[in-house]
């Protein structure tokens, strides 16, 4: 009996040690961003599930943010540290729906982040009412706000797998992640070969033609109301709004699919709510240069830096990138966009 008891004690001790090692390693790497520490093992972070990762960070961080940047995966590579005079957090997430933005604003404020500024990166694909919303932030918030959740994740083997990949990438400086973050929440897309890029662009064009710009497209009847709600519920917050750039082939496809009237209506609604918008979604020096994009609609971080500078009215080399459009200049701007697309089509 004593032999079995001793064996059980040893087994239990081994299990405790293994649990401590897994938990300690997961804490050190922190792939879900539940803690604030930085070290050589977590310098590179995979974008696992940014809705959960970024919400965990906002809920438990010691940092106090007074500004948010909201957008899709395109806007994740706009560096939050490039905005002067505010403590900005980039809360952009992949495949976002316009309905999600208000929820992220409420969540940030609920956790003590008093917002003086909100920067909105808007994408035309979110205006498609037939596009089903697939992510619901409230589900993530419920999980994140469980006081035991972030400690439970430390004992998870799934978390351990993420930790191992992040630590390996950090230590040997690999390009294994499509989009990676550093520990200061700065994101960038990996560099790929021209062959791989051409394949991605071709796939994006097929997908947008069949879904986002398809004949079944219907303009989102509640889009303007969603924008107005953000303004009404945050009367003491300033807004800076921009339209994200896409490559010239994707913008030309919009024109060919006869979506220009919807694009025009979209810009008009944005201006009616916010008074003006920085429009990067035109034929310009950046959107005609495929080297500055990962695929047909995700730009590299260097372009994100130009966007951040332009939003702060800094002078940039790309003079035709990001025109400030108001009610007074709207008709002239749309005519310029139309003419440039017609010229490209000829």
């Amino acid at each position: 009996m004593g032999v079995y008891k001793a064996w059980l004690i040893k087994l239990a001790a081994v299990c405790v040690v293994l649990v401590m090692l897994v938990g300690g390693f997961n804490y050190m790497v922190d792939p879900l961003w539940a803690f604030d520490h930085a070290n050589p093992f977590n310098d590179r972070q995979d974008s696992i599930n940014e809705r959960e990762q970024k919400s965990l960070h906002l809920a438990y961080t010691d940092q106090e943010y007074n500004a948010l940047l909201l957008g899709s995966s395109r806007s994740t590579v706009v560096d939050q540290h490039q905005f002067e005079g505010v403590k900005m957090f980039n809360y952009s997430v992949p495949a976002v729906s316009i309905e999600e933005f208000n929820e992220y604003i409420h969540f940030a404020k609920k956790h003590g982040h008093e917002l003086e500024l909100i920067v909105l990166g808007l994408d035309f694909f979110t205006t498609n009412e037939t596009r089903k919303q697939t992510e619901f932030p409230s589900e993530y918030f419920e999980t994140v706000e469980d006081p035991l959740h972030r400690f439970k994740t430390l004992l998870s083997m799934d978390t351990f797998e993420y930790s191992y990949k992040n630590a390996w990438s950090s230590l040997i400086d690999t390009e294994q992640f499509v989009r990676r973050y550093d520990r200061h929440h700065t994101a960038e897309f990996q560099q790929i070969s021209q062959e791989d890029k051409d394949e991605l662009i071709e796939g994006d064009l097929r997908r947008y033609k069949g879904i986002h710009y398809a004949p079944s497209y219907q303009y989102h009847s509640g889009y303007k109301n969603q924008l107005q709600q953000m303004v009404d519920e945050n009367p003491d917050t300033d807004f800076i709004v921009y339209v994200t750039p896409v490559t010239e082939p994707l913008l030309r496809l919009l024109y060919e699919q006869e979506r220009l009237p919807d694009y025009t209506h979209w810009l008009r609604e944005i201006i009616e709510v916010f008074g003006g918008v920085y429009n990067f979604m035109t034929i310009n020096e950046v959107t005609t240069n495929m080297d500055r994009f990962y695929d047909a609609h995700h730009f590299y971080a260097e372009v994100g830096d130009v966007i951040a500078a332009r939003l702060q009215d800094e002078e940039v080399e790309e003079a035709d990138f990001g025109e400030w459009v108001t009610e007074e200049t709207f008709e002239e701007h749309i005519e310029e966009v139309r003419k440039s697309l017609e010229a490209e089509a000829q």
Side-chain angles (χ1 to χ4, degrees), residues 50-259:
E50 285 144 291
R51 286 172 173 81
E52 180 176 354
Q53 289 170 294
K54 294 186 176 185
S55 298
L56 271 168
H57 176 72
L58 277 184
Y60 298 107
T61 183
D62 291 331
Q63 301 181 59
E64 296 182 4
Y65 296 103
N66 62 2
L68 289 183
L69 193 160
L70 298 171
S72 69
S73 55
R74 298 175 186 175
S75 291
T76 57
V77 296
V78 179
D79 186 355
Q80 65 190 47
H81 305 289
Q82 296 293 323
F83 292 87
E84 299 180 359
V86 293
K87 180 69 171 177
M88 172 75 73
F89 181 68
N90 190 330
Y91 208 167
S92 300
V93 297
V96 75
S97 300
I98 191 65
E99 291 83 2
E100 294 183 60
F101 287 153
N102 270 306
E103 294 192 64
Y104 295 133
I105 295 170
H106 293 160
F107 184 81
K109 293 167 69 174
K110 177 181 179 181
H111 289 277
H113 305 283
E114 299 297 329
L115 303 178
E116 299 175 9
L117 173 67
I118 294 174
V119 176
L120 286 179
L122 301 178
D123 313 282
F124 181 74
F125 71 81
T126 63
T127 67
N128 189 352
E129 196 156 36
T130 63
R131 174 179 173 267
K132 300 296 184 182
Q133 182 177 354
T134 58
E135 300 286 356
F136 298 90
S138 58
E139 297 175 2
Y140 292 97
F141 298 160
E142 183 177 351
T143 299
V144 164
E145 291 178 328
D146 176 353
L148 297 179
H149 173 67
R150 62 177 182 156
F151 298 105
K152 292 177 183 176
T153 62
L154 295 179
L155 306 180
S156 165
M157 290 307 296
D158 287 338
T159 306
F160 183 82
E161 184 177 350
Y162 297 138
S163 295
Y164 174 79
K165 291 178 180 178
N166 285 356
W168 181 259
S169 180
S170 297
L171 292 174
I172 68 170
D173 195 30
T174 65
E175 286 280 350
Q176 69 184 93
F177 302 136
V178 171
R179 181 162 41 84
R180 70 165 188 249
Y181 287 83
D182 65 16
R183 199 53 179 172
H184 306 290
H185 306 288
T186 302
E188 61 179 324
F189 281 95
Q190 66 180 175
Q191 297 291 330
I192 57 176
S193 69
Q194 188 60 51
E195 182 180 356
D196 288 341
K197 180 181 294 190
D198 291 342
E199 185 175 338
L200 288 174
I201 291 174
E202 183 179 344
D204 286 337
L205 293 175
R206 285 198 305 268
R207 181 163 55 88
Y208 271 73
K209 185 175 182 178
I211 301 175
H212 301 305
Y213 300 163
S216 61
Y217 173 96
Q218 295 177 17
Y219 188 84
H220 194 318
S221 58
Y223 194 93
K224 183 179 179 180
N225 290 337
Q226 290 290 330
L227 299 180
Q228 190 63 56
Q229 183 181 349
M230 280 184 258
V231 174
D232 293 344
E233 294 182 358
N234 300 277
D236 299 322
T237 302
D238 293 327
F239 285 83
I240 297 175
V241 185
Y242 68 97
V243 168
T244 58
V246 300
T247 57
E248 176 268 330
L250 192 56
L251 186 55
R252 186 175 68 239
L253 179 65
L254 178 146
Y255 178 75
E256 294 170 352
Q257 294 296 106
E258 300 181 349
R259 297 272 75 88

Side-chain angles (χ1 to χ4, degrees), residues 282-315:
T282 64
I283 302 296
N284 57 62
E285 183 178 342
V286 172
T287 58
T288 54
N289 185 350
M290 299 301 103
D291 290 340
R292 307 192 76 170
F293 285 81
Y294 171 75
D295 54 20
H297 62 110
H298 289 104
F299 48 87
Y300 279 118
E302 63 180 59
V303 176
D305 289 345
V306 178
I307 289 174
R310 185 73 186 90
L311 296 181
Q312 297 172 90
D313 292 327
E314 297 176 10
E315 187 174 339

